[in-house]
Amino acid sequence: MMRRPSLMIENKILIPFVTISIVTVLCFCYIVYNAEYKLRIETETANATALVDYINADIDAGEYWRDPNDLLEKYEQSYRGDNLFLYDAADHLLFSRRALGEHEILLCQSSSNSLGWKILCSLDQAALTSAFIEEQRYLILAVIAMLIIIVQAGVMIAHNISAPIRELSALCVGISAAPGEAEELSGLYTHRRDEVGQFAQSFQKMMESLHRYTDELSWVKALNESIVENLPLGIAVYDGAGEMIFHNSRAETMLCAVDECDAQGRALGDYLSDLVRRGEVLPISLTLHDSAKKSHHYELGVWRLQSGDANLGTLCTVDDVTYQRHMEEKLSRDEKLTYTGELAADIAHEARNPLAGIRTGLQVIDRKLESERDHLLCHEMIKEVDRVDLLVSNLVNISRQRESEKTTVHLDTLCEEMELLYSKVAENKGIEFFANIDTGIVIFADEQEVRQMLINLINNSIKAMPDGGQILLSGRAEEGGVCVSISDNGPGMDEVHLSRALSGEGGGLGLSIVQRLAKNNNGELELTSAPGEGTSAHLLFHRTGGICYDEV
């Protein structure tokens, strides 16, 4: 099946208009031509009839029957036309100015004369047509000029009608391709007062409304996208086949953590895919562990997206509640410490006075004892009383929770104070105390709490080396913040004793106090120890929250 060629709108207007106009002009010309032609034939016929009658009368009236040649000579001299033909009674041609052609028009014929001649008047049709066209040449030129004018007028009319329609069509194509970038309609058409102008004005108003609605939709779309992208929740959308079709940046960050897996080795993305496939829509808590064995806690929500009875897909929300869980654990520990503090205050109030009395009594008894063995026993009892008193003091320190007053703390100055304070004490116990800290290091923390942390850690190192040793207090700036270390070469601890020391199960609360104070100052405590290799305590003050930098 052949495809019909498409016509432009100008041709669809121009061709019918020009065709009708040409047909009308040609019909008019045909009518005029036919009327003039018939009139010419009638005129020639009347003239021919008159000529034949005249010749018949001339033959009958004169004595040309005596010498017919005189009559032929007369017509030879007086007749100027070429339509007359004379034949004798035997049908022999006597007179003519031309030969008869194939296409002749017989005007008149008669033999009513005394000589029996046949008188014939005939017109050559080709000559008649040529002569008629020559006579009507101005009419033909006028018709040609009229046809040219009609074509030009048709072109102008077609352009005048089709130009605004073409521009409107181009605008519609532009709108369909890029609704927000369509140009406005030319004012040449909107200022017209005819139907085209009304159509252009209406279309222009529609374009303005479209631009306004498009801008509003773009703004709402951008707002919704911004809201979804900036939500603290991860958003992931799955289609009906279970394939992810959208996720925001927060969800992308969570899904990219492929090293976080659950107990079955599934990453977060695999776990969500399983939820969508199983069709579970209840809130779910999920805990994942990374390669460093750190826990990450998530709250998952699953909702079905439906429109009527049609299932459009599934919406999943992922909320990282790791910090919230840590804060809940911290709050729980703080509550325990608060309760312990209240209990410690009661114990301190009830126990310190009896302890002081017991120690004083032992000192008095010691002076009266004469046996060396009794003196040693008394000294050991006094040490045990002092140990119990230290335990009570640690409990009192836990109970004294106060608001941190964070300022800029110069660690080099603080470590110099520690060196000055403990150098003599360490020397008396056979311990060498060294301080090596980079100058200009500062942290944003509570100076009293930092001092208390250093005192507790140094005291622990001194107690761990009753036979002497070395203690090194050092500090340096790192990429993630500032690290202050207290290292000794004492007997060290295995993992079991190290864990008990950190949890306070060994009876000492010094490390628990250090842990709490470190967290209050955006830091953390790390202990490394091994039997026979000594112990190192590292206080890491992070840049997050606090300000840690090097002064030049």
Side-chain angles (χ1 to χ4, degrees), residues 443 476-483 540-543 548-550:
I443 60 174
R476 64 189 181 277
E478 297 181 346
E479 183 179 357
V482 171
C483 178
L540 304 176
F541 297 96
H542 302 293
R543 295 183 184 274
C548 304
Y549 56 91
D550 293 342

Side-chain angles (χ1 to χ4, degrees), residues 201-217:
Q201 292 171 9
S202 300
F203 189 85
Q204 184 65 32
K205 291 180 180 179
M206 183 187 70
M207 285 288 298
E208 293 173 356
S209 300
L210 179 61
H211 280 304
R212 185 170 60 256
Y213 295 146
T214 302
D215 293 340
E216 292 177 358
L217 289 176

Side-chain angles (χ1 to χ4, degrees), residues 83 85 98-106 122-125:
N83 297 330
F85 298 89
R98 61 179 179 83
L100 288 174
E102 296 180 359
H103 303 284
E104 295 287 336
I105 300 175
L106 181 62
S122 176
L123 286 175
D124 186 356
Q125 186 174 6

Side-chain angles (χ1 to χ4, degrees), residues 209-421:
S209 300
L210 179 61
H211 280 304
R212 185 170 60 256
Y213 295 146
T214 302
D215 293 340
E216 292 177 358
L217 289 176
S218 299
W219 181 83
V220 172
K221 180 176 180 292
L223 177 62
N224 291 335
E225 290 179 350
S226 177
I227 291 174
V228 172
E229 283 296 321
N230 292 281
L231 281 175
L233 302 176
I235 303 295
V237 180
Y238 293 81
D239 59 15
E243 297 293 331
M244 184 182 296
I245 58 177
F246 171 79
H247 62 269
N248 63 356
S249 57
R250 179 64 174 162
E252 182 178 6
T253 302
M254 299 177 184
L255 294 172
C256 288
V258 294
D259 60 333
E260 298 179 3
C261 301
D262 62 358
Q264 301 178 8
R266 295 175 298 180
L268 179 59
D270 299 331
Y271 191 88
L272 288 176
S273 298
D274 290 343
L275 283 181
V276 173
R277 185 174 60 255
R278 292 197 304 265
E280 297 183 8
V281 293
L282 296 177
I284 298 172
S285 297
L286 176 64
T287 301
L288 302 179
H289 302 277
D290 59 14
S291 56
K293 303 303 181 181
K294 291 185 178 180
S295 299
H296 298 268
H297 305 279
Y298 299 97
E299 292 287 344
L300 308 180
V302 182
W303 288 268
R304 293 297 182 192
L305 302 178
Q306 293 184 339
S307 177
D309 296 333
N311 181 19
L312 302 181
T314 306
L315 171 66
C316 297
T317 60
V318 184
D319 187 9
D320 188 348
V321 295
T322 303
Y323 178 76
Q324 180 181 345
R325 294 290 176 84
H326 290 337
M327 292 303 296
E328 290 175 354
E329 294 174 0
K330 181 179 181 300
L331 180 60
S332 177
R333 288 195 301 266
D334 290 344
E335 289 177 352
K336 292 178 181 179
L337 289 174
T338 301
Y339 176 75
T340 304
E342 294 176 355
L343 180 61
D346 294 337
I347 294 175
H349 179 71
E350 298 295 335
R352 296 195 77 173
N353 291 333
L355 287 174
I358 293 172
R359 193 178 192 282
T360 303
L362 289 173
Q363 289 175 340
V364 172
I365 294 173
D366 182 50
R367 296 191 190 100
K368 297 179 179 182
L369 295 176
E370 297 179 356
S371 173
E372 185 66 25
R373 183 176 178 276
D374 293 338
H375 279 294
L376 292 176
L377 179 61
C378 190
H379 288 167
E380 289 297 326
M381 294 175 65
I382 291 174
K383 288 181 180 180
E384 292 299 321
V385 171
D386 289 339
R387 192 172 70 85
V388 174
D389 185 68
L390 179 60
L391 177 60
V392 173
S393 298
N394 288 335
L395 290 173
V396 172
N397 289 333
I398 292 177
S399 65
R400 292 174 181 173
Q401 293 190 11
R402 63 183 182 86
E403 292 293 332
S404 298
E405 297 178 359
K406 294 184 180 181
T407 59
T408 301
V409 180
H410 294 262
L411 289 179
D412 52 353
T413 303
L414 184 58
C415 289
E416 289 176 1
E417 294 178 6
M418 294 295 103
E419 183 181 14
L420 182 62
L421 178 63

Side-chain angles (χ1 to χ4, degrees), residues 428-467:
N428 292 335
K429 294 182 178 293
I431 299 174
E432 295 179 338
F433 189 90
F434 301 97
N436 181 19
I437 187 166
D438 297 342
T439 59
I441 299 180
V442 298
I443 60 174
F444 188 70
D446 188 307
E447 184 173 356
Q448 295 298 328
E449 294 181 351
V450 175
R451 180 180 284 105
Q452 183 65 47
M453 286 186 280
L454 295 178
I455 290 173
N456 287 4
L457 294 174
I458 294 173
N459 285 336
N460 287 344
S461 295
I462 292 175
K463 293 176 184 178
M465 296 184 295
D467 299 328

Side-chain angles (χ1 to χ4, degrees), residues 10 156-171 184-204:
E10 292 93 336
M156 293 179 62
I157 293 173
H159 175 76
N160 192 41
I161 296 175
S162 64
I165 298 177
R166 188 189 302 109
E167 185 170 347
L168 290 175
S169 176
L171 279 176
E184 294 185 355
L185 190 63
S186 174
L188 178 64
Y189 305 117
T190 56
H191 294 161
R192 292 173 57 165
R193 299 181 179 274
D194 54 4
E195 290 79 2
V196 174
Q198 294 177 358
F199 179 62
Q201 292 171 9
S202 300
F203 189 85
Q204 184 65 32

